[in-house]
Short mmCIF file of all heavy atoms in Angstrom, two decimals:
data_model
loop_
_atom_site.label_atom_id
_atom_site.label_comp_id
_atom_site.label_asym_id
_atom_site.label_seq_id
_atom_site.Cartn_x
_atom_site.Cartn_y
_atom_site.Cartn_z
N MET A 226 -11.60 12.80 -3.31
CA MET A 226 -10.35 13.21 -4.01
C MET A 226 -9.34 13.89 -3.08
O MET A 226 -9.85 14.82 -2.34
CB MET A 226 -10.84 14.18 -5.08
CG MET A 226 -10.11 14.47 -6.36
SD MET A 226 -9.46 13.25 -7.41
CE MET A 226 -8.04 14.13 -7.98
N VAL A 227 -8.19 13.51 -3.06
CA VAL A 227 -7.16 14.21 -2.20
C VAL A 227 -6.44 15.17 -3.11
O VAL A 227 -6.07 14.88 -4.21
CB VAL A 227 -6.14 13.16 -1.58
CG1 VAL A 227 -5.18 13.80 -0.79
CG2 VAL A 227 -6.98 12.10 -0.86
N SER A 228 -6.27 16.44 -2.61
CA SER A 228 -5.56 17.36 -3.49
C SER A 228 -4.10 17.13 -3.65
O SER A 228 -3.50 16.57 -2.73
CB SER A 228 -5.85 18.82 -2.82
OG SER A 228 -4.96 18.84 -1.73
N GLN A 229 -3.73 17.60 -4.76
CA GLN A 229 -2.23 17.44 -5.03
C GLN A 229 -1.39 18.15 -4.02
O GLN A 229 -0.30 17.67 -3.63
CB GLN A 229 -1.98 17.98 -6.56
CG GLN A 229 -0.50 17.64 -7.01
CD GLN A 229 -0.26 16.17 -7.05
OE1 GLN A 229 -1.06 15.40 -7.58
NE2 GLN A 229 0.86 15.66 -6.40
N GLU A 230 -1.95 19.28 -3.56
CA GLU A 230 -1.17 20.12 -2.53
C GLU A 230 -0.93 19.26 -1.20
O GLU A 230 0.14 19.27 -0.67
CB GLU A 230 -1.87 21.28 -2.24
CG GLU A 230 -1.84 22.37 -3.19
CD GLU A 230 -2.91 22.19 -4.34
OE1 GLU A 230 -3.67 21.25 -4.23
OE2 GLU A 230 -2.78 22.88 -5.28
N LEU A 231 -1.97 18.52 -0.83
CA LEU A 231 -1.89 17.61 0.34
C LEU A 231 -0.87 16.40 0.02
O LEU A 231 -0.06 16.24 0.77
CB LEU A 231 -3.25 17.11 0.70
CG LEU A 231 -3.32 16.26 1.91
CD1 LEU A 231 -2.61 16.88 3.17
CD2 LEU A 231 -4.74 15.77 2.28
N LEU A 232 -1.08 15.83 -1.13
CA LEU A 232 -0.22 14.73 -1.43
C LEU A 232 1.14 15.10 -1.44
O LEU A 232 2.16 14.34 -1.05
CB LEU A 232 -0.55 14.15 -2.82
CG LEU A 232 -1.95 13.53 -3.01
CD1 LEU A 232 -2.21 13.24 -4.39
CD2 LEU A 232 -2.16 12.21 -2.11
N ASP A 233 1.44 16.27 -1.91
CA ASP A 233 2.81 16.88 -2.03
C ASP A 233 3.50 16.94 -0.59
O ASP A 233 4.77 16.82 -0.48
CB ASP A 233 2.96 18.15 -2.66
CG ASP A 233 2.66 18.02 -4.18
OD1 ASP A 233 2.79 16.96 -4.68
OD2 ASP A 233 2.54 19.13 -4.85
N ILE A 234 2.77 17.15 0.41
CA ILE A 234 3.36 17.38 1.66
C ILE A 234 3.43 16.16 2.56
O ILE A 234 4.04 16.10 3.51
CB ILE A 234 2.71 18.53 2.53
CG1 ILE A 234 1.27 18.34 2.69
CG2 ILE A 234 3.04 19.92 1.81
CD1 ILE A 234 0.63 19.27 3.69
N LEU A 235 2.65 15.14 2.16
CA LEU A 235 2.53 13.96 3.00
C LEU A 235 3.84 13.07 2.79
O LEU A 235 4.26 13.03 1.63
CB LEU A 235 1.37 13.15 2.65
CG LEU A 235 -0.06 13.73 3.03
CD1 LEU A 235 -1.11 12.85 2.50
CD2 LEU A 235 -0.12 13.89 4.59
N SER A 236 4.25 12.36 3.80
CA SER A 236 5.26 11.40 3.63
C SER A 236 5.02 10.29 4.68
O SER A 236 4.18 10.51 5.79
CB SER A 236 6.64 12.01 3.86
OG SER A 236 6.72 12.66 5.14
N CYS A 237 5.64 9.18 4.56
CA CYS A 237 5.50 8.13 5.54
C CYS A 237 5.96 8.47 6.92
O CYS A 237 7.14 8.85 7.01
CB CYS A 237 6.21 6.86 5.06
SG CYS A 237 6.22 5.48 6.18
N PRO A 238 5.12 8.43 7.92
CA PRO A 238 5.67 8.86 9.30
C PRO A 238 6.71 7.94 9.82
O PRO A 238 7.52 8.28 10.65
CB PRO A 238 4.45 8.74 10.10
CG PRO A 238 3.50 7.87 9.44
CD PRO A 238 3.73 8.01 7.93
N ASN A 239 6.91 6.67 9.23
CA ASN A 239 7.79 5.81 9.69
C ASN A 239 9.19 6.19 9.04
O ASN A 239 10.26 5.89 9.71
CB ASN A 239 7.51 4.35 9.30
CG ASN A 239 8.55 3.34 9.78
OD1 ASN A 239 8.75 3.06 11.00
ND2 ASN A 239 9.29 2.73 8.85
N CYS A 240 9.21 6.66 7.89
CA CYS A 240 10.48 6.72 7.21
C CYS A 240 10.92 8.28 7.06
O CYS A 240 12.00 8.52 6.64
CB CYS A 240 10.33 6.25 5.77
SG CYS A 240 9.90 4.53 5.70
N ALA A 241 9.96 9.19 7.28
CA ALA A 241 10.26 10.65 7.04
C ALA A 241 11.48 11.14 7.73
O ALA A 241 12.10 12.10 7.36
CB ALA A 241 9.05 11.39 7.23
N GLN A 242 11.72 10.53 8.92
CA GLN A 242 12.86 11.20 9.71
C GLN A 242 14.25 10.77 9.15
O GLN A 242 15.21 11.52 9.24
CB GLN A 242 12.80 10.69 11.09
CG GLN A 242 11.59 11.37 11.90
CD GLN A 242 11.41 10.96 13.30
OE1 GLN A 242 12.10 10.00 13.76
NE2 GLN A 242 10.54 11.68 13.95
N GLU A 243 14.24 9.59 8.51
CA GLU A 243 15.65 9.23 7.86
C GLU A 243 15.65 9.43 6.43
O GLU A 243 16.89 9.47 5.91
CB GLU A 243 15.78 7.79 8.26
CG GLU A 243 15.95 7.50 9.73
CD GLU A 243 16.14 6.09 10.15
OE1 GLU A 243 16.29 5.23 9.28
OE2 GLU A 243 16.04 5.84 11.25
N SER A 244 14.63 9.53 5.74
CA SER A 244 14.68 9.70 4.24
C SER A 244 13.53 10.41 3.91
O SER A 244 12.77 11.08 4.61
CB SER A 244 14.85 8.37 3.58
OG SER A 244 13.74 7.58 3.87
N GLU A 245 13.11 10.32 2.57
CA GLU A 245 11.98 11.00 2.08
C GLU A 245 10.62 10.49 2.45
O GLU A 245 9.56 11.11 2.62
CB GLU A 245 11.93 11.16 0.57
CG GLU A 245 13.07 12.20 0.12
CD GLU A 245 12.96 12.29 -1.52
OE1 GLU A 245 12.06 12.98 -1.93
OE2 GLU A 245 13.75 11.73 -2.18
N GLY A 246 10.52 9.11 2.61
CA GLY A 246 9.27 8.41 2.89
C GLY A 246 8.25 8.67 1.69
O GLY A 246 7.11 8.99 1.97
N MET A 247 8.82 8.56 0.48
CA MET A 247 7.91 8.90 -0.57
C MET A 247 6.80 7.88 -0.78
O MET A 247 6.92 6.67 -0.56
CB MET A 247 8.67 8.93 -1.90
CG MET A 247 8.20 9.98 -2.68
SD MET A 247 8.74 10.38 -4.33
CE MET A 247 9.66 8.99 -4.96
N LEU A 248 5.57 8.50 -1.06
CA LEU A 248 4.28 7.65 -1.12
C LEU A 248 3.82 7.51 -2.62
O LEU A 248 3.95 8.59 -3.29
CB LEU A 248 3.31 8.33 -0.33
CG LEU A 248 3.65 8.56 1.24
CD1 LEU A 248 2.66 9.55 1.85
CD2 LEU A 248 3.52 7.18 1.90
N GLU A 249 3.28 6.37 -2.86
CA GLU A 249 2.59 6.11 -4.14
C GLU A 249 1.12 6.32 -3.88
O GLU A 249 0.57 5.71 -2.93
CB GLU A 249 2.96 4.76 -4.65
CG GLU A 249 2.10 4.48 -5.83
CD GLU A 249 2.27 2.89 -6.31
OE1 GLU A 249 3.03 2.25 -5.74
OE2 GLU A 249 1.53 2.51 -7.26
N TYR A 250 0.39 7.11 -4.62
CA TYR A 250 -0.96 7.34 -4.51
C TYR A 250 -1.61 6.30 -5.27
O TYR A 250 -1.47 6.23 -6.64
CB TYR A 250 -1.44 8.80 -5.04
CG TYR A 250 -2.71 9.25 -4.91
CD1 TYR A 250 -3.49 8.93 -3.83
CD2 TYR A 250 -3.26 10.09 -5.87
CE1 TYR A 250 -4.76 9.40 -3.71
CE2 TYR A 250 -4.51 10.63 -5.70
CZ TYR A 250 -5.33 10.24 -4.77
OH TYR A 250 -6.59 10.64 -4.53
N PHE A 251 -2.28 5.32 -4.71
CA PHE A 251 -2.79 4.06 -5.40
C PHE A 251 -4.32 4.14 -5.39
O PHE A 251 -5.10 4.07 -4.42
CB PHE A 251 -2.30 2.90 -4.63
CG PHE A 251 -2.60 1.66 -5.31
CD1 PHE A 251 -2.11 1.24 -6.51
CD2 PHE A 251 -3.45 0.66 -4.61
CE1 PHE A 251 -2.43 0.10 -7.03
CE2 PHE A 251 -3.77 -0.58 -5.14
CZ PHE A 251 -3.24 -0.88 -6.49
N LYS A 252 -4.83 4.12 -6.67
CA LYS A 252 -6.32 4.04 -6.91
C LYS A 252 -7.06 5.08 -6.11
O LYS A 252 -8.24 4.69 -5.66
CB LYS A 252 -6.75 2.69 -6.78
CG LYS A 252 -6.09 1.63 -7.72
CD LYS A 252 -6.82 0.37 -7.75
CE LYS A 252 -6.10 -0.51 -8.81
NZ LYS A 252 -6.78 -1.89 -8.91
N GLU A 253 -6.59 6.20 -5.78
CA GLU A 253 -7.26 7.16 -4.94
C GLU A 253 -7.71 6.69 -3.65
O GLU A 253 -8.53 7.28 -3.01
CB GLU A 253 -8.45 7.83 -5.79
CG GLU A 253 -7.89 8.43 -7.06
CD GLU A 253 -9.06 9.14 -7.79
OE1 GLU A 253 -10.19 9.10 -7.42
OE2 GLU A 253 -8.69 9.85 -8.91
N SER A 254 -7.20 5.54 -3.23
CA SER A 254 -7.73 4.97 -1.92
C SER A 254 -6.58 4.65 -0.97
O SER A 254 -6.88 4.43 0.18
CB SER A 254 -8.42 3.61 -2.28
OG SER A 254 -9.49 3.91 -3.09
N TRP A 255 -5.33 4.57 -1.39
CA TRP A 255 -4.21 4.10 -0.48
C TRP A 255 -3.00 5.00 -0.79
O TRP A 255 -2.87 5.45 -1.95
CB TRP A 255 -3.94 2.74 -0.71
CG TRP A 255 -4.92 1.75 -0.41
CD1 TRP A 255 -5.95 1.31 -1.15
CD2 TRP A 255 -5.12 1.10 0.94
NE1 TRP A 255 -6.73 0.44 -0.47
CE2 TRP A 255 -6.24 0.31 0.85
CE3 TRP A 255 -4.43 1.13 2.09
CZ2 TRP A 255 -6.74 -0.48 1.85
CZ3 TRP A 255 -4.84 0.37 3.17
CH2 TRP A 255 -6.03 -0.47 3.09
N LEU A 256 -2.24 5.29 0.22
CA LEU A 256 -0.88 5.76 0.04
C LEU A 256 0.17 4.74 0.43
O LEU A 256 0.03 4.34 1.57
CB LEU A 256 -0.72 7.11 0.89
CG LEU A 256 -1.58 8.22 0.37
CD1 LEU A 256 -1.51 9.46 1.39
CD2 LEU A 256 -1.08 8.78 -1.01
N ILE A 257 0.98 4.35 -0.44
CA ILE A 257 1.86 3.20 -0.28
C ILE A 257 3.37 3.76 -0.17
O ILE A 257 3.82 4.48 -1.06
CB ILE A 257 1.80 2.23 -1.31
CG1 ILE A 257 0.42 1.69 -1.46
CG2 ILE A 257 2.76 0.98 -1.06
CD1 ILE A 257 0.10 0.82 -2.67
N CYS A 258 3.94 3.45 1.06
CA CYS A 258 5.32 3.99 1.13
C CYS A 258 6.24 3.16 0.23
O CYS A 258 6.23 1.90 0.24
CB CYS A 258 5.70 3.86 2.53
SG CYS A 258 7.47 4.46 2.81
N THR A 259 7.03 3.83 -0.64
CA THR A 259 7.93 3.25 -1.52
C THR A 259 9.15 2.64 -0.84
O THR A 259 9.88 1.85 -1.46
CB THR A 259 8.42 4.18 -2.69
OG1 THR A 259 9.11 5.25 -2.05
CG2 THR A 259 7.25 4.72 -3.52
N GLU A 260 9.33 2.97 0.46
CA GLU A 260 10.45 2.40 1.19
C GLU A 260 10.12 1.20 2.09
O GLU A 260 10.90 0.25 2.00
CB GLU A 260 11.18 3.59 1.88
CG GLU A 260 11.78 4.57 0.97
CD GLU A 260 12.11 5.87 1.67
OE1 GLU A 260 12.51 5.92 2.88
OE2 GLU A 260 11.97 6.94 0.97
N CYS A 261 9.14 1.42 2.96
CA CYS A 261 8.97 0.37 3.93
C CYS A 261 7.69 -0.49 3.61
O CYS A 261 7.43 -1.49 4.20
CB CYS A 261 8.77 0.97 5.33
SG CYS A 261 7.23 1.88 5.55
N ASP A 262 6.96 0.00 2.52
CA ASP A 262 5.77 -0.82 2.07
C ASP A 262 4.60 -0.72 2.97
O ASP A 262 3.59 -1.56 2.87
CB ASP A 262 6.21 -2.28 1.64
CG ASP A 262 5.50 -2.76 0.50
OD1 ASP A 262 5.15 -1.86 -0.40
OD2 ASP A 262 5.27 -3.88 0.42
N ARG A 263 4.58 0.12 3.98
CA ARG A 263 3.43 0.36 4.69
C ARG A 263 2.36 1.08 3.83
O ARG A 263 2.79 1.79 2.91
CB ARG A 263 3.66 1.24 5.97
CG ARG A 263 4.44 0.52 7.05
CD ARG A 263 4.68 1.46 8.25
NE ARG A 263 5.18 0.57 9.41
CZ ARG A 263 6.51 0.22 9.44
NH1 ARG A 263 7.41 0.52 8.58
NH2 ARG A 263 6.91 -0.59 10.47
N LYS A 264 1.15 0.69 4.04
CA LYS A 264 0.06 1.22 3.26
C LYS A 264 -0.93 2.02 4.12
O LYS A 264 -1.52 1.44 5.07
CB LYS A 264 -0.67 0.02 2.61
CG LYS A 264 0.35 -0.64 1.59
CD LYS A 264 -0.05 -1.97 1.02
CE LYS A 264 1.03 -2.76 0.32
NZ LYS A 264 2.07 -3.40 1.35
N TYR A 265 -1.20 3.18 3.76
CA TYR A 265 -2.05 4.09 4.58
C TYR A 265 -3.38 4.31 3.87
O TYR A 265 -3.35 4.81 2.68
CB TYR A 265 -1.37 5.45 4.79
CG TYR A 265 -0.07 5.23 5.53
CD1 TYR A 265 1.19 5.16 4.77
CD2 TYR A 265 0.06 5.11 6.92
CE1 TYR A 265 2.39 4.94 5.43
CE2 TYR A 265 1.19 4.94 7.64
CZ TYR A 265 2.42 4.76 6.84
OH TYR A 265 3.61 4.64 7.44
N PRO A 266 -4.50 3.99 4.54
CA PRO A 266 -5.84 4.08 3.85
C PRO A 266 -6.28 5.54 3.73
O PRO A 266 -5.87 6.33 4.54
CB PRO A 266 -6.83 3.25 4.70
CG PRO A 266 -6.06 3.19 6.02
CD PRO A 266 -4.58 3.29 5.81
N ILE A 267 -6.94 5.83 2.76
CA ILE A 267 -7.65 7.25 2.58
C ILE A 267 -9.11 6.97 2.84
O ILE A 267 -9.74 6.29 2.07
CB ILE A 267 -7.38 7.74 1.25
CG1 ILE A 267 -5.88 7.94 0.99
CG2 ILE A 267 -8.06 9.13 1.11
CD1 ILE A 267 -5.36 8.22 -0.52
N ARG A 268 -9.49 7.45 3.92
CA ARG A 268 -10.95 7.26 4.29
C ARG A 268 -11.68 8.57 4.20
O ARG A 268 -11.35 9.51 4.84
CB ARG A 268 -11.11 6.66 5.76
CG ARG A 268 -10.50 5.29 5.86
CD ARG A 268 -10.79 4.64 7.09
NE ARG A 268 -10.25 3.26 7.15
CZ ARG A 268 -9.30 2.84 7.98
NH1 ARG A 268 -8.98 3.69 8.99
NH2 ARG A 268 -8.86 1.70 7.94
N GLU A 269 -12.78 8.60 3.40
CA GLU A 269 -13.54 9.84 3.09
C GLU A 269 -12.58 11.02 2.86
O GLU A 269 -12.76 12.11 3.40
CB GLU A 269 -14.37 10.08 4.37
CG GLU A 269 -15.42 8.93 4.45
CD GLU A 269 -16.35 9.09 5.63
OE1 GLU A 269 -16.36 10.13 6.32
OE2 GLU A 269 -17.04 8.18 5.94
N ASP A 270 -11.57 10.76 1.94
CA ASP A 270 -10.82 11.88 1.50
C ASP A 270 -9.71 12.23 2.42
O ASP A 270 -8.96 13.17 2.34
CB ASP A 270 -11.52 13.05 0.96
CG ASP A 270 -12.23 12.72 -0.36
OD1 ASP A 270 -11.89 11.66 -0.99
OD2 ASP A 270 -13.24 13.48 -0.68
N ILE A 271 -9.56 11.46 3.62
CA ILE A 271 -8.65 11.83 4.65
C ILE A 271 -7.54 10.72 4.73
O ILE A 271 -7.93 9.52 5.08
CB ILE A 271 -9.24 12.02 6.08
CG1 ILE A 271 -10.55 12.91 6.06
CG2 ILE A 271 -8.20 12.40 7.01
CD1 ILE A 271 -10.26 14.32 5.88
N PRO A 272 -6.32 10.96 4.39
CA PRO A 272 -5.23 9.99 4.41
C PRO A 272 -5.02 9.81 5.91
O PRO A 272 -4.82 10.67 6.68
CB PRO A 272 -4.07 10.62 3.79
CG PRO A 272 -4.56 11.74 2.99
CD PRO A 272 -5.86 12.14 3.59
N VAL A 273 -5.08 8.46 6.34
CA VAL A 273 -4.80 8.14 7.77
C VAL A 273 -3.27 7.72 7.94
O VAL A 273 -2.90 6.69 7.65
CB VAL A 273 -5.71 6.92 8.11
CG1 VAL A 273 -5.48 6.60 9.69
CG2 VAL A 273 -7.22 7.22 7.90
N MET A 274 -2.56 8.75 8.30
CA MET A 274 -1.02 8.57 8.29
C MET A 274 -0.57 8.23 9.73
O MET A 274 0.09 9.02 10.32
CB MET A 274 -0.44 9.97 7.85
CG MET A 274 -0.84 10.47 6.47
SD MET A 274 -0.79 9.20 5.14
CE MET A 274 1.02 9.01 5.09
N LEU A 275 -0.99 7.05 10.11
CA LEU A 275 -0.59 6.59 11.45
C LEU A 275 0.33 5.32 11.17
O LEU A 275 -0.14 4.44 10.40
CB LEU A 275 -1.80 6.15 12.29
CG LEU A 275 -2.74 7.42 12.62
CD1 LEU A 275 -3.99 6.78 13.26
CD2 LEU A 275 -2.02 8.40 13.48
N ILE A 276 1.37 5.10 11.84
CA ILE A 276 2.19 4.03 11.74
C ILE A 276 1.60 2.70 12.09
O ILE A 276 1.56 1.74 11.32
CB ILE A 276 3.53 4.22 12.45
CG1 ILE A 276 4.44 5.30 11.92
CG2 ILE A 276 4.37 2.80 12.49
CD1 ILE A 276 5.70 5.54 12.80
N ASP A 277 0.78 2.81 13.12
CA ASP A 277 -0.08 1.60 13.42
C ASP A 277 -0.94 1.15 12.32
O ASP A 277 -1.16 -0.04 12.12
CB ASP A 277 -0.92 1.85 14.71
CG ASP A 277 0.01 1.77 16.00
OD1 ASP A 277 1.16 1.42 15.84
OD2 ASP A 277 -0.49 2.16 17.06
N GLU A 278 -1.53 2.13 11.71
CA GLU A 278 -2.44 1.84 10.62
C GLU A 278 -1.63 1.25 9.35
O GLU A 278 -1.99 0.20 8.80
CB GLU A 278 -3.23 3.03 10.21
CG GLU A 278 -4.28 2.83 9.09
CD GLU A 278 -5.62 2.08 9.76
OE1 GLU A 278 -5.92 2.31 10.86
OE2 GLU A 278 -6.04 1.15 8.99
N GLY A 279 -0.51 1.79 9.07
CA GLY A 279 0.28 1.38 7.93
C GLY A 279 0.78 -0.07 8.22
O GLY A 279 0.92 -0.87 7.28
N ASP A 280 1.11 -0.38 9.46
CA ASP A 280 1.64 -1.63 9.85
C ASP A 280 0.52 -2.77 9.55
O ASP A 280 1.00 -3.92 9.10
CB ASP A 280 1.76 -1.67 11.41
CG ASP A 280 3.11 -1.16 11.91
OD1 ASP A 280 3.98 -0.96 11.03
OD2 ASP A 280 3.24 -0.99 13.05
N LYS A 281 -0.69 -2.44 9.65
CA LYS A 281 -1.81 -3.50 9.37
C LYS A 281 -1.69 -4.03 7.96
O LYS A 281 -2.06 -5.18 7.86
CB LYS A 281 -3.12 -2.95 9.53
CG LYS A 281 -3.49 -2.48 11.01
CD LYS A 281 -5.00 -2.18 11.00
CE LYS A 281 -5.34 -1.30 12.21
NZ LYS A 281 -6.68 -0.69 12.11
N TRP A 282 -1.14 -3.23 7.02
CA TRP A 282 -1.23 -3.60 5.64
C TRP A 282 0.09 -3.99 5.04
O TRP A 282 0.26 -4.09 3.85
CB TRP A 282 -1.96 -2.49 4.79
CG TRP A 282 -3.13 -2.09 5.54
CD1 TRP A 282 -3.32 -0.95 6.29
CD2 TRP A 282 -4.46 -2.67 5.56
NE1 TRP A 282 -4.67 -0.81 6.74
CE2 TRP A 282 -5.34 -1.83 6.29
CE3 TRP A 282 -4.91 -3.86 4.94
CZ2 TRP A 282 -6.65 -2.23 6.58
CZ3 TRP A 282 -6.20 -4.19 5.17
CH2 TRP A 282 -7.14 -3.42 5.93
N ILE A 283 1.22 -3.93 5.90
CA ILE A 283 2.44 -4.04 5.44
C ILE A 283 2.76 -5.38 4.63
O ILE A 283 3.56 -5.37 3.69
CB ILE A 283 3.62 -3.98 6.58
CG1 ILE A 283 4.90 -3.58 6.07
CG2 ILE A 283 3.52 -5.11 7.47
CD1 ILE A 283 5.86 -3.10 7.12
N LYS A 284 1.99 -6.43 4.91
CA LYS A 284 2.13 -7.68 4.25
C LYS A 284 1.14 -7.94 3.19
O LYS A 284 1.21 -8.94 2.41
CB LYS A 284 2.24 -8.90 5.26
CG LYS A 284 3.47 -8.85 6.05
CD LYS A 284 3.56 -10.04 7.03
CE LYS A 284 4.78 -10.07 7.86
NZ LYS A 284 4.65 -10.55 9.18
N THR A 285 0.23 -7.01 3.01
CA THR A 285 -0.85 -7.11 1.97
C THR A 285 -0.21 -6.63 0.67
O THR A 285 0.27 -5.57 0.68
CB THR A 285 -2.03 -6.45 2.38
OG1 THR A 285 -2.51 -6.76 3.59
CG2 THR A 285 -3.15 -6.64 1.33
N LYS A 286 -0.29 -7.42 -0.35
CA LYS A 286 0.11 -6.99 -1.71
C LYS A 286 -0.83 -5.82 -2.15
O LYS A 286 -1.92 -5.86 -1.87
CB LYS A 286 0.20 -8.04 -2.61
CG LYS A 286 1.14 -9.17 -2.31
CD LYS A 286 1.22 -10.08 -3.61
CE LYS A 286 2.15 -11.33 -3.24
NZ LYS A 286 1.44 -12.56 -3.13
N LYS A 287 -0.22 -4.99 -2.91
CA LYS A 287 -1.11 -3.77 -3.22
C LYS A 287 -2.26 -4.24 -4.16
O LYS A 287 -3.37 -3.67 -4.08
CB LYS A 287 -0.28 -2.60 -3.80
CG LYS A 287 0.18 -2.78 -5.12
CD LYS A 287 0.92 -1.38 -5.56
CE LYS A 287 1.37 -1.49 -6.97
NZ LYS A 287 2.16 -0.30 -7.36
N GLU A 288 -2.05 -5.24 -4.95
CA GLU A 288 -3.04 -5.73 -5.77
C GLU A 288 -4.26 -6.42 -4.91
O GLU A 288 -5.41 -6.59 -5.43
CB GLU A 288 -2.66 -6.85 -6.75
CG GLU A 288 -1.56 -6.38 -7.65
CD GLU A 288 -0.22 -6.39 -7.02
OE1 GLU A 288 0.02 -7.18 -5.99
OE2 GLU A 288 0.63 -5.52 -7.44
N GLU A 289 -4.02 -6.67 -3.73
CA GLU A 289 -5.09 -7.35 -2.85
C GLU A 289 -5.68 -6.32 -1.85
O GLU A 289 -6.46 -6.59 -1.06
CB GLU A 289 -4.28 -8.38 -2.04
CG GLU A 289 -3.87 -9.54 -2.93
CD GLU A 289 -3.00 -10.57 -2.28
OE1 GLU A 289 -2.71 -10.42 -0.97
OE2 GLU A 289 -2.68 -11.59 -2.91
N LEU A 290 -5.34 -5.08 -2.00
CA LEU A 290 -5.81 -3.99 -1.02
C LEU A 290 -7.32 -3.77 -1.48
O LEU A 290 -7.69 -3.88 -2.64
CB LEU A 290 -5.19 -2.69 -1.16
CG LEU A 290 -3.73 -2.76 -0.62
CD1 LEU A 290 -2.97 -1.54 -1.01
CD2 LEU A 290 -3.64 -2.85 0.88
N GLU A 291 -8.22 -3.54 -0.44
CA GLU A 291 -9.63 -3.36 -0.76
C GLU A 291 -9.72 -1.97 -1.20
O GLU A 291 -9.16 -0.99 -0.72
CB GLU A 291 -10.39 -3.47 0.56
CG GLU A 291 -10.64 -4.95 0.99
CD GLU A 291 -11.45 -5.05 2.19
OE1 GLU A 291 -12.54 -4.66 2.17
OE2 GLU A 291 -11.04 -5.76 3.13
N ILE A 292 -10.56 -1.76 -2.18
CA ILE A 292 -10.93 -0.51 -2.88
C ILE A 292 -12.43 -0.28 -2.68
O ILE A 292 -13.06 -1.13 -3.28
CB ILE A 292 -10.57 -0.35 -4.41
CG1 ILE A 292 -9.09 -0.73 -4.50
CG2 ILE A 292 -10.83 0.97 -4.84
CD1 ILE A 292 -7.91 0.09 -3.96
N PRO A 293 -12.97 0.53 -1.95
CA PRO A 293 -12.22 1.49 -1.02
C PRO A 293 -11.68 0.69 0.16
O PRO A 293 -12.20 -0.37 0.45
CB PRO A 293 -13.23 2.51 -0.72
CG PRO A 293 -14.60 1.82 -0.81
CD PRO A 293 -14.43 0.84 -1.83
N PRO A 294 -10.79 1.43 0.98
CA PRO A 294 -10.39 0.67 2.18
C PRO A 294 -11.42 0.41 3.20
O PRO A 294 -12.47 1.16 3.28
CB PRO A 294 -9.41 1.77 2.83
CG PRO A 294 -9.14 2.73 1.73
CD PRO A 294 -10.25 2.75 0.78
N PRO A 295 -11.25 -0.63 3.92
CA PRO A 295 -12.24 -1.03 5.01
C PRO A 295 -12.30 0.11 5.98
O PRO A 295 -11.34 0.86 6.25
CB PRO A 295 -11.83 -2.31 5.61
CG PRO A 295 -10.36 -2.42 5.25
CD PRO A 295 -10.27 -1.59 3.91
N SER A 296 -13.49 0.36 6.56
CA SER A 296 -13.63 1.51 7.50
C SER A 296 -12.73 1.34 8.72
O SER A 296 -12.38 2.34 9.36
CB SER A 296 -15.07 1.78 7.81
OG SER A 296 -15.67 0.66 8.34
N GLU A 297 -12.53 0.16 9.23
CA GLU A 297 -11.62 -0.02 10.42
C GLU A 297 -10.73 -1.20 10.22
O GLU A 297 -11.16 -2.15 9.75
CB GLU A 297 -12.40 -0.12 11.66
CG GLU A 297 -12.89 1.15 12.32
CD GLU A 297 -11.78 2.31 12.55
OE1 GLU A 297 -10.67 1.85 12.78
OE2 GLU A 297 -12.05 3.40 12.31
ZN1 LIG B 534 7.72 4.13 5.07
#
């Protein structure tokens, strides 16, 4: 479980400089940027907020994301 406090301060590293980079907390396993659609996996309760990681899933529909996220 990721704490609400942590969720509140996280934003998409790709978008945060120009806008809010607001994230959707999806099935307790992913954070999805509402602007660029990058998807950041949450592994062992740690959100992996790396642009390179978000890039890997940018074309994957959220319904097709693995729950839980693959380890690498
Ligand atoms: Zn973004």
Side-chain angles (χ1 to χ4, degrees):
M226 198 59 207
V227 181
S228 71
Q229 189 60 48
E230 288 80 7
L231 179 56
L232 292 173
D233 286 346
I234 60 167
L235 289 175
S236 57
C237 174
N239 181 71
C240 301
Q242 291 180 349
E243 293 178 11
S244 59
E245 284 185 77
M247 220 184 11
L248 299 164
E249 175 190 352
Y250 187 33
F251 184 65
K252 296 194 177 178
E253 300 186 355
S254 297
W255 295 87
L256 290 168
I257 303 173
C258 178
T259 57
E260 293 164 35
C261 69
D262 221 28
R263 285 182 172 79
K264 300 167 185 77
Y265 302 93
I267 300 169
R268 295 191 177 120
E269 297 178 11
D270 295 339
I271 312 286
V273 183
M274 304 307 295
L275 301 172
I276 293 176
D277 283 352
E278 188 67 41
D280 277 346
K281 289 189 204 168
W282 313 99
I283 197 164
K284 290 184 179 149
T285 306
K286 296 193 184 106
K287 74 177 183 184
E288 301 77 30
E289 294 170 355
L290 291 168
E291 288 184 52
I292 310 290
S296 52
E297 280 303 326

